[in-house]
Amino acid sequence: RDSRNKHQHPNRRLHLSMLWLLVTLSVFEAAAFTSTTTATCYAPSSRARRPQHGTPTTLSYSSMTSPGTTSMDISEYAERDIPSLEQWASEVVGIQKCDGFQLTTGEAAYQQDVYAMTSEDIPTGTPVLFVPEALIFSADKAMEELRVPEMEQAEKILFSVNAGADIKQYYLMIKLLMEIEKVEESDWFPWLNSLPRYYENAVSMTSFCLTCLPSLMKKIAVDERLKQRNLSSYAMKNVPWLGDDIKNDEDVIKWVFQIVYTRAFEAPDSEDLRIVPMGDMFNHASDYVEVEPWFDEEGNYYGYSTYDISAGSPLRISYGDSSNPSFMMARYGFLDEDSPATNCKLLPPHINQDMLDLGYEENRMLFYNTGEVSEEVWDILLYQHLSSTAVADKRALMEAHKEGDYETKQMLHEKHYQYTSARLLEHIDDFIDQLDTLGAKAEETGANGYDEHPRLPLIMKHNTFVKETFVRVREMYFAGY
């Protein structure tokens, strides 16, 4: 997935209360979707039965570890079957779309970017997409169905590798693996066969790729890869719902990890983690979104337009905090060039409670693309300086911060500005030098290196984006130095 170009409009934001009013005052009517195709709301048969222990399905998917003639190719460069997905959605399972809603393929290779857009104008508050509850993969539903006493040993392994915080994703992965094991017999096969195989996120990078990442981005990438290792075949080996072949297929399990971590989102006003077929085709917007997701009391999914959308526009949602493009790239595999800021990459050797109180968090330690520096960055730089030079002023800083005494904080910043600004300049120059070194390292691989490490171009694009932001900060505060 990639973020698309924005289409500016003065009335983009639709107040959430308006959305609630639209939904609360009326029952959703199928007539709102003027498609000529009549579709029956369909409940997949698998929900009516519980999987049986000890009955592994004969597998017919393909992967590097399970080659052969197959009906589902999950290799990286396999074609995504989008036409079958659209036919399944409109004619079989009751997914409804507004006039103009369509899926299109971006310029990225191997169809990894298939996204929703509109070919017609869509007014504010229009129901853009409807997906029946029975089609939606839900962590809560999966755990209710599958979390039985026989799962105790499997969960022990999960917690033994400190992956207990990812238990919702774990059960979503199991549910998807159960469907993949059925291949064409799965009620979700057309959707599964439409999903991307090629990714450019941290989990898909080579070891060499990691060496070309700057420090904070590398840390985020390593954390993502650790999540994937913790949820590999080792975590699946005692799952009673799966056959031995699929439990031992690292390629399939890794692919399912990618599906869950790039397509599952928390439902609004709920901690449930859900994957919505067709609703997972919306790209990310960093500022204003075209579509706001909502679920009714029965769990059906609705997507409403948030402003008057022009024909030819992408239909996008938010994947999360847009001030951290490094995380977006590590998790989802795209560079959000419309991000308003990037992390300042200041990594103290030790982070104490005072620093946390001052706002040391990844999404607050920011350099903005305007060249400005967030207040939290200045506070941390001041705190670091005072910790070794003026303990009394450090206490005054913390007291002023806790009391909301802006004037005292400002006085302390002005008093020590020559030292904090020197720290900032040194950090900027050192980090730009680091990025230049990493760029030279990547370039040394040549064209053959890009063939062996196909994510390198995106990594270098990310590093250039970050460098440009750092240069803007330098020019704003240190012009002439």
Side-chain angles (χ1 to χ4, degrees):
R1 296 184 182 187
D2 289 315
S3 57
R4 301 286 118 197
N5 292 331
K6 297 185 293 295
H7 297 255
Q8 300 296 334
H9 191 283
N11 296 316
R12 275 186 157 183
R13 282 203 188 276
L14 177 66
H15 197 279
L16 283 177
S17 62
M18 185 175 178
L19 280 178
W20 280 99
L21 185 62
L22 284 167
V23 178
T24 304
L25 291 181
S26 63
V27 176
F28 186 89
E29 296 182 2
F33 299 93
T34 56
S35 170
T36 57
T37 302
T38 300
T40 302
C41 187
Y42 174 73
S45 58
S46 61
R47 292 201 67 219
R49 62 177 184 268
R50 291 177 67 87
Q52 299 299 312
H53 297 287
T55 56
T57 305
T58 300
L59 303 179
S60 57
Y61 56 80
S62 76
S63 68
M64 294 178 64
T65 55
S66 299
T69 304
T70 66
S71 54
M72 183 188 292
D73 183 1
I74 67 162
S75 58
E76 271 198 340
Y77 307 122
E79 290 291 319
R80 301 171 63 179
D81 187 355
I82 303 304
S84 294
L85 166 69
E86 296 196 278
Q87 182 181 14
W88 171 80
S90 61
E91 299 179 11
V92 180
V93 295
I95 292 175
Q96 300 177 57
K97 301 172 285 186
C98 70
D99 282 347
F101 182 107
Q102 65 182 49
L103 299 180
T104 190
T105 302
E107 298 177 356
Y110 317 117
Q111 288 184 305
Q112 77 253 40
D113 186 30
V114 177
Y115 62 95
M117 64 167 294
T118 179
S119 60
E120 299 184 16
D121 293 345
I122 301 177
T124 299
T126 299
V128 173
L129 182 67
F130 166 78
V131 181
E133 184 276 339
L135 291 179
I136 298 170
F137 288 92
S138 156
D140 286 352
K141 288 195 299 185
M143 293 176 73
E144 181 180 1
E145 176 187 355
L146 307 175
R147 200 176 192 188
V148 296
E150 292 89 341
M151 280 292 297
E152 182 179 353
Q153 291 303 314
E155 286 197 15
K156 281 185 178 180
I157 291 177
L158 187 71
F159 283 92
S160 73
V161 295
N162 298 316
D166 296 313
I167 195 165
K168 289 181 180 289
Q169 290 89 342
Y170 177 64
Y171 274 94
L172 272 179
M173 287 179 64
I174 294 172
K175 188 64 179 175
L176 286 172
L177 287 166
M178 289 165 59
E179 294 303 321
I180 290 169
E181 197 170 29
K182 302 171 190 174
V183 199
E184 292 180 353
E185 294 182 1
S186 169
D187 296 313
W188 284 270
F189 176 76
W191 172 71
L192 291 167
N193 207 29
S194 75
L195 296 177
R197 278 70 157 175
Y198 182 88
Y199 292 87
E200 292 197 302
N201 57 7
V203 170
S204 64
M205 292 177 185
T206 64
S207 297
F208 179 78
C209 287
L210 294 182
T211 67
C212 296
L213 295 172
S215 50
L216 179 61
M217 176 65 189
K218 184 176 181 179
K219 176 182 179 297
I220 296 171
V222 168
D223 289 344
E224 289 291 295
R225 292 161 71 89
L226 178 61
K227 282 181 180 289
Q228 190 275 319
R229 285 197 298 272
N230 288 342
L231 294 175
S232 62
S233 62
Y234 178 68
M236 298 294 172
K237 70 177 184 178
N238 288 328
V239 174
W241 310 110
L242 302 172
D244 290 340
D245 287 342
I246 200 166
K247 283 194 289 190
N248 292 308
D249 196 320
E250 290 288 4
D251 294 325
V252 176
I253 295 172
K254 183 176 181 179
W255 181 51
V256 170
F257 175 93
Q258 296 276 42
I259 294 170
V260 169
Y261 277 83
T262 60
R263 308 184 94 78
F265 293 94
E266 282 193 359
D269 302 315
S270 168
E271 295 183 358
D272 187 19
L273 202 62
R274 299 175 187 173
I275 303 176
V276 181
M278 193 59 75
D280 60 343
M281 293 295 182
F282 295 121
N283 267 346
H284 167 74
S286 58
D287 53 1
Y288 297 103
V289 299
E290 286 76 23
V291 177
E292 188 75 33
W294 184 80
F295 294 86
D296 66 15
E297 292 182 357
E298 285 73 38
N300 299 306
Y301 170 92
Y302 306 85
Y304 283 89
S305 58
T306 61
Y307 66 94
D308 291 340
I309 307 170
S310 301
S313 300
L315 300 175
R316 302 170 301 176
I317 61 174
S318 173
Y319 291 4
D321 185 4
S322 293
S323 65
N324 195 347
S326 295
F327 173 78
M328 286 289 184
M329 182 174 138
R331 172 61 59 86
Y332 299 105
F334 67 85
L335 176 61
D336 183 6
E337 295 181 90
D338 295 324
S339 175
T342 186
N343 185 276
C344 72
K345 322 299 181 187
L346 194 64
L347 299 174
H350 175 67
I351 301 169
N352 60 27
Q353 188 57 51
D354 282 350
M355 298 171 79
L356 294 175
D357 291 342
L358 288 170
Y360 188 88
E361 295 179 16
E362 286 184 6
N363 63 347
R364 296 174 67 183
M365 298 286 290
L366 302 176
F367 284 175
Y368 294 95
N369 55 20
T370 59
E372 295 173 297
V373 173
S374 70
E375 178 184 347
E376 289 81 1
V377 174
W378 287 114
D379 285 349
I380 293 299
L381 289 170
L382 179 58
Y383 180 86
Q384 288 180 307
H385 169 67
L386 297 179
S387 293
S388 58
T389 60
V391 176
D393 279 355
K394 183 181 78 169
R395 288 197 296 266
L397 169 66
M398 295 309 302
E399 185 67 24
H401 180 76
K402 292 175 182 176
E403 296 295 327
D405 184 354
Y406 175 80
E407 290 184 359
T408 299
K409 281 185 68 175
Q410 189 64 20
M411 179 271 293
L412 290 168
H413 276 294
E414 292 174 359
K415 177 180 177 181
H416 298 278
Y417 180 74
Q418 63 173 317
Y419 305 107
T420 54
S421 61
R423 281 175 175 262
L424 180 62
L425 178 60
E426 181 181 14
H427 170 67
I428 291 172
D429 287 345
D430 286 349
F431 195 78
I432 289 175
D433 287 345
Q434 180 189 152
L435 291 173
D436 288 341
T437 300
L438 294 173
K441 181 177 184 177
E443 290 295 335
E444 287 175 1
T445 64
N448 291 335
Y450 288 161
D451 290 339
E452 186 177 352
H453 312 287
R455 284 83 182 174
L456 270 182
L458 179 62
I459 290 172
M460 301 317 299
K461 190 176 181 181
H462 165 271
N463 291 357
T464 299
F465 173 81
V466 173
K467 179 179 176 179
E468 289 173 350
T469 304
F470 271 61
V471 169
R472 290 191 196 101
V473 173
R474 196 185 196 286
E475 290 173 347
M476 173 166 281
Y477 291 95
F478 308 104
Y481 284 86

